[in-house]
Amino acid sequence: MTPCYAAPKGKAVLTNTNEAKTQTTTNENETFAARKILYDRISAVTQIPWYRLAAIDQYERTLTRVHPKDRKHPERVIGIFVPSTAWSGPLNPNQEDTHPATIELYAGIGLDGDGDGKADPNNNMDLLYSISSRLKPFGHSSDDFAIGLWAYYENSRSVQRIMQYAKIYEKFGKLDLFSHAFPLPIGNNYSYRSTFGMGRSWGGYRIHEGTDLFAGYGVPVRSTCYGVVELKGWNKYGGWRIGIRDLNNHYHYYAHLQGFDKGVKAGDVVTPGQTIGWVGSSGYGKPGTQGKFPPHLHYGIYRDTGLSEWSFDPYPLLRHWENEERQALRKAKKAHP
């Protein structure tokens, strides 16, 4: 076992990587539990379901990851970020104002959510209560909630993402939905290497926005994440393809499929390891074109910035998920020989 780090004198340490992983898992579980308590408390006051509050919070967290400088804030349980001009009021001479009365006077959105007499933009309860209070007047139905989101964000992309996240949280009833699976069954029936950025041989000049995993016809293709099926159908480049949006605002793209699982349709929520289709060689032509290249799965990931998307190399993640799942299978085999 490899030591994680050297310890200062008098400090307790994690002695190996397994202990580090255990500690990380414990911290994550505690964070999820703390968030769920906050969601439930605000939900009881505003009647907005917890899973919708969780969806807003998670979407805001994904925006902060891609815009860390513009959305910089102290470490806290809730990831919602409100600019000072919106919180205190655009004409408020004190952009760090925490007094509810003057914030209201200058048309700011900041409210006191925990009863301490302050409207603090870095207080978890104040943040959740303030955002919820903006949405509550629109009503309680799904459509009403979507209208409220549009009024707040004025961005259809934001509305779509939050509604997708709410659907995932509602289905599973928990927050810990970030595990992954390798897109093909673990074994020796596939091969792959990093092919991101290479040139393409059909359809004009374009780069390869993903990794090709070569396998035989009919090998199951699996969802790598918890997510919502955003796209399913034909594309002249990717053939039969499917796109899945996860809670990190990553779009997982699977192309050149032989076909789809009949039980999977656009709008469905899927889980890691769930079969969504099969390896094929479709694409490079009109609907139904097959066999212009060896059978393989094209797998790509795209990151959403809030206004646009761009691809990044999925190869490191694929290697990580493969090793992680292989280790889990070995561990299960040892436990149940």
Side-chain angles (χ1 to χ4, degrees):
M1 294 184 288
T2 306
C4 290
Y5 56 85
K9 290 184 178 180
K11 298 281 187 177
V13 298
L14 301 176
T15 58
N16 57 66
T17 53
N18 289 333
E19 288 182 21
K21 289 180 180 179
T22 300
Q23 184 64 52
T24 299
T25 301
T26 300
N27 292 340
E28 288 177 347
N29 289 339
E30 291 175 351
T31 300
F32 288 136
R35 285 176 188 158
K36 184 61 164 60
I37 290 172
L38 289 168
Y39 301 151
D40 287 339
R41 286 179 177 174
I42 297 301
S43 178
V45 175
T46 63
Q47 304 306 305
I48 297 176
W50 74 268
Y51 49 84
R52 291 178 180 169
L53 299 177
I56 295 170
D57 188 27
Q58 180 57 25
Y59 176 68
E60 290 273 336
R61 196 170 289 109
T62 66
L63 292 181
T64 299
R65 290 196 187 111
V66 294
H67 302 288
K69 293 182 179 179
D70 297 335
R71 296 169 57 90
K72 188 175 182 180
H73 61 74
E75 189 70 25
R76 42 181 162 79
V77 174
I78 297 301
I80 293 171
F81 173 81
V82 180
S84 59
T85 52
W87 185 268
S88 302
L91 299 179
N92 193 330
N94 179 12
Q95 286 295 294
E96 296 183 358
D97 195 356
T98 60
H99 296 87
T102 52
I103 289 175
E104 182 181 9
L105 178 65
Y106 286 102
I109 72 170
L111 297 172
D112 176 15
D114 61 1
D116 67 353
K118 296 181 179 181
D120 183 351
N122 287 305
N123 178 288
N124 295 306
M125 290 288 285
D126 292 355
L127 275 169
L128 267 182
Y129 182 66
S130 298
I131 298 301
S132 300
S133 296
R134 302 288 293 186
L135 300 174
K136 182 181 178 181
F138 289 90
H140 299 296
S141 72
S142 180
D143 288 342
D144 292 336
F145 179 62
I147 293 171
L149 291 174
W150 169 254
Y152 181 74
Y153 287 100
E154 297 184 346
N155 184 335
S156 58
R157 184 188 295 263
S158 301
V159 177
Q160 181 186 30
R161 300 293 180 265
I162 293 170
M163 297 299 288
Q164 289 171 327
Y165 295 177
K167 190 173 186 178
I168 297 171
Y169 284 131
E170 182 181 16
K171 180 177 179 63
F172 296 104
K174 63 178 184 177
L175 298 174
D176 186 8
L177 300 169
F178 296 92
S179 59
H180 292 87
F182 193 66
L184 301 177
I186 299 297
N188 299 313
N189 58 343
Y190 58 81
S191 64
Y192 68 104
R193 61 186 179 88
S194 180
T195 55
F196 185 83
M198 297 177 65
R200 300 289 80 193
S201 60
W202 190 86
Y205 177 76
R206 56 196 179 95
I207 66 169
H208 192 230
E209 297 182 342
T211 292
D212 289 336
L213 297 95
F214 289 89
Y217 285 106
V219 171
V221 172
R222 311 186 301 169
S223 171
T224 56
C225 61
Y226 289 97
V228 173
V229 177
E230 195 169 288
L231 174 148
K232 176 185 174 185
W234 179 268
N235 174 277
K236 65 180 180 180
Y237 300 104
W240 299 117
R241 83 276 199 252
I242 191 167
I244 298 172
R245 178 79 53 183
D246 73 9
L247 288 167
N248 284 316
N249 215 349
H250 290 165
Y251 179 73
H252 302 248
Y253 180 72
Y254 312 75
H256 305 314
L257 302 179
Q258 187 180 51
F260 307 109
D261 186 282
K262 292 182 179 179
V264 176
K265 60 184 183 298
D268 282 356
V269 175
V270 294
T271 59
Q274 178 179 339
T275 298
I276 57 175
W278 294 272
V279 172
S281 60
S282 61
Y284 287 12
K286 63 183 181 180
T289 303
Q290 304 270 351
K292 291 196 172 183
F293 41 77
H296 68 277
L297 168 67
H298 168 92
Y299 177 76
I301 304 183
Y302 296 77
R303 180 181 287 112
D304 190 346
T305 68
L307 296 173
S308 61
E309 286 187 310
W310 78 87
S311 62
F312 63 97
D313 188 357
Y315 181 77
L317 286 176
L318 288 169
R319 290 298 303 268
H320 174 71
W321 297 338
E322 181 185 28
N323 292 334
E324 196 172 55
E325 191 170 352
R326 197 181 297 277
Q327 290 173 10
L329 290 171
R330 287 172 181 168
K331 186 176 180 179
K333 187 175 181 179
K334 289 181 178 179
H336 304 284

Coordinates of all heavy atoms in Angstrom, one line a residue, residues 4-5 13-33 35 176 178 320 324:
C4 N -0.2 8.1 1.2 CA -0.8 9.2 0.5 C 0.1 10.5 0.6 O 0.3 11.2 -0.3 CB -2.2 9.5 1.0 SG -3.3 8.2 0.5
Y5 N 0.5 10.8 1.9 CA 1.3 12.0 2.1 C 2.0 11.9 3.4 O 1.6 11.1 4.3 CB 0.4 13.3 2.0 CG -0.8 13.3 3.0 CD1 -0.6 13.7 4.3 CD2 -2.0 12.8 2.6 CE1 -1.6 13.7 5.2 CE2 -3.1 12.8 3.5 CZ -2.9 13.2 4.8 OH -3.9 13.2 5.6
V13 N -3.1 11.0 10.3 CA -2.9 10.9 8.9 C -3.6 9.7 8.3 O -4.0 8.8 9.1 CB -1.4 10.7 8.5 CG1 -0.6 11.9 8.9 CG2 -0.8 9.4 9.1
L14 N -3.9 9.7 7.0 CA -4.4 8.6 6.3 C -3.2 7.8 5.8 O -2.3 8.4 5.2 CB -5.2 9.0 5.1 CG -6.5 9.9 5.4 CD1 -7.1 10.3 4.2 CD2 -7.4 9.1 6.3
T15 N -3.1 6.6 6.2 CA -1.8 5.8 6.0 C -1.7 5.2 4.6 O -0.7 4.8 4.2 CB -1.7 4.7 7.0 OG1 -2.8 3.8 7.0 CG2 -1.6 5.4 8.4
N16 N -2.8 5.0 3.9 CA -2.7 4.4 2.6 C -3.9 4.9 1.7 O -4.8 5.6 2.1 CB -2.7 2.9 2.7 CG -4.0 2.4 3.4 OD1 -5.1 2.5 2.9 ND2 -3.8 1.8 4.6
T17 N -3.8 4.5 0.4 CA -4.8 5.0 -0.6 C -6.2 4.4 -0.3 O -7.2 5.1 -0.5 CB -4.4 4.5 -2.0 OG1 -4.1 3.1 -2.0 CG2 -3.1 5.3 -2.4
N18 N -6.3 3.2 0.3 CA -7.6 2.7 0.6 C -8.3 3.5 1.7 O -9.5 3.8 1.6 CB -7.5 1.2 1.1 CG -7.2 0.3 -0.1 OD1 -7.5 0.6 -1.2 ND2 -6.5 -0.8 0.3
E19 N -7.5 3.9 2.7 CA -8.1 4.8 3.7 C -8.4 6.2 3.2 O -9.4 6.8 3.6 CB -7.0 5.0 4.9 CG -6.9 3.7 5.7 CD -5.9 3.9 6.9 OE1 -5.7 5.1 7.3 OE2 -5.3 2.9 7.4
A20 N -7.7 6.7 2.2 CA -8.0 7.9 1.6 C -9.3 7.9 0.9 O -10.1 8.8 0.9 CB -6.9 8.4 0.7
K21 N -9.5 6.8 0.1 CA -10.8 6.6 -0.6 C -11.9 6.5 0.4 O -13.0 7.1 0.1 CB -10.7 5.3 -1.5 CG -9.8 5.4 -2.6 CD -9.7 4.1 -3.4 CE -8.8 4.3 -4.6 NZ -8.8 3.0 -5.4
T22 N -11.7 5.8 1.5 CA -12.8 5.7 2.5 C -13.2 7.0 3.1 O -14.3 7.4 3.2 CB -12.4 4.7 3.6 OG1 -12.1 3.4 3.1 CG2 -13.5 4.6 4.7
Q23 N -12.1 7.8 3.4 CA -12.4 9.1 3.9 C -13.1 10.0 2.9 O -14.0 10.8 3.3 CB -11.0 9.8 4.3 CG -11.2 11.2 5.0 CD -11.9 11.1 6.3 OE1 -11.6 10.2 7.2 NE2 -13.0 11.8 6.5
T24 N -12.7 10.0 1.7 CA -13.4 10.8 0.6 C -14.8 10.4 0.5 O -15.7 11.3 0.4 CB -12.7 10.5 -0.7 OG1 -11.3 11.0 -0.6 CG2 -13.4 11.3 -1.8
T25 N -15.1 9.1 0.5 CA -16.5 8.6 0.4 C -17.3 9.1 1.6 O -18.4 9.5 1.5 CB -16.5 7.1 0.4 OG1 -15.8 6.6 -0.8 CG2 -17.9 6.6 0.3
T26 N -16.7 9.0 2.8 CA -17.4 9.5 4.0 C -17.7 11.0 3.9 O -18.8 11.4 4.2 CB -16.5 9.2 5.3 OG1 -16.2 7.8 5.4 CG2 -17.2 9.7 6.5
N27 N -16.7 11.8 3.5 CA -17.0 13.2 3.3 C -18.1 13.5 2.3 O -18.9 14.4 2.5 CB -15.7 13.9 2.9 CG -14.6 13.9 4.0 OD1 -14.9 13.7 5.2 ND2 -13.4 14.1 3.6
E28 N -18.1 12.8 1.2 CA -19.1 13.0 0.2 C -20.5 12.6 0.7 O -21.5 13.3 0.5 CB -18.8 12.1 -1.0 CG -17.6 12.6 -1.9 CD -17.3 11.7 -3.0 OE1 -17.8 10.6 -3.1 OE2 -16.5 12.1 -3.9
N29 N -20.6 11.5 1.5 CA -21.9 11.1 2.0 C -22.4 12.1 3.0 O -23.6 12.4 3.1 CB -21.7 9.7 2.7 CG -21.5 8.6 1.7 OD1 -21.9 8.7 0.6 ND2 -21.0 7.5 2.2
E30 N -21.5 12.7 3.8 CA -21.9 13.7 4.8 C -22.4 15.0 4.0 O -23.3 15.6 4.5 CB -20.7 14.1 5.7 CG -20.3 13.0 6.7 CD -19.1 13.3 7.4 OE1 -18.4 14.3 7.1 OE2 -18.7 12.5 8.4
T31 N -21.7 15.3 2.9 CA -22.1 16.5 2.2 C -23.5 16.3 1.6 O -24.4 17.1 1.6 CB -21.1 16.8 1.1 OG1 -19.8 17.1 1.6 CG2 -21.5 18.0 0.2
F32 N -23.7 15.1 1.0 CA -25.0 14.8 0.4 C -26.1 14.8 1.5 O -27.2 15.3 1.2 CB -25.0 13.4 -0.2 CG -24.2 13.3 -1.5 CD1 -23.4 12.2 -1.8 CD2 -24.4 14.3 -2.5 CE1 -22.7 12.2 -3.0 CE2 -23.7 14.2 -3.7 CZ -22.8 13.1 -3.9
A33 N -25.8 14.3 2.7 CA -26.8 14.3 3.8 C -27.1 15.7 4.2 O -28.3 16.1 4.4 CB -26.3 13.5 4.9
R35 N -26.9 18.5 2.4 CA -27.7 19.1 1.3 C -29.1 18.7 1.4 O -30.0 19.5 1.2 CB -27.1 18.8 -0.1 CG -25.8 19.5 -0.4 CD -25.2 19.1 -1.7 NE -23.9 19.6 -1.9 CZ -23.0 19.1 -2.7 NH1 -23.3 18.0 -3.5 NH2 -21.8 19.7 -2.9
D176 N -26.7 10.9 -4.3 CA -25.5 10.2 -4.7 C -25.7 9.4 -6.0 O -25.9 8.2 -6.0 CB -25.0 9.3 -3.6 CG -23.7 8.7 -3.9 OD1 -23.0 9.1 -4.8 OD2 -23.2 7.8 -3.1
F178 N -23.5 9.7 -9.0 CA -22.3 10.1 -9.8 C -21.4 8.9 -10.1 O -20.3 9.2 -10.5 CB -21.6 11.2 -9.1 CG -22.4 12.5 -8.9 CD1 -23.1 12.7 -7.8 CD2 -22.4 13.4 -10.0 CE1 -23.9 13.9 -7.7 CE2 -23.2 14.6 -9.8 CZ -23.9 14.8 -8.7
H320 N -10.0 5.0 -16.5 CA -10.4 5.0 -15.0 C -11.6 4.1 -14.8 O -11.6 3.3 -13.8 CB -10.6 6.4 -14.6 CG -11.1 6.5 -13.2 ND1 -10.3 6.3 -12.1 CD2 -12.3 6.9 -12.7 CE1 -11.0 6.5 -11.0 NE2 -12.2 6.8 -11.3
E324 N -11.6 0.7 -12.5 CA -12.5 0.8 -11.4 C -13.5 -0.4 -11.4 O -13.7 -1.1 -10.4 CB -13.3 2.1 -11.3 CG -13.9 2.4 -10.0 CD -14.4 3.8 -10.0 OE1 -15.3 4.2 -10.9 OE2 -14.0 4.6 -9.1

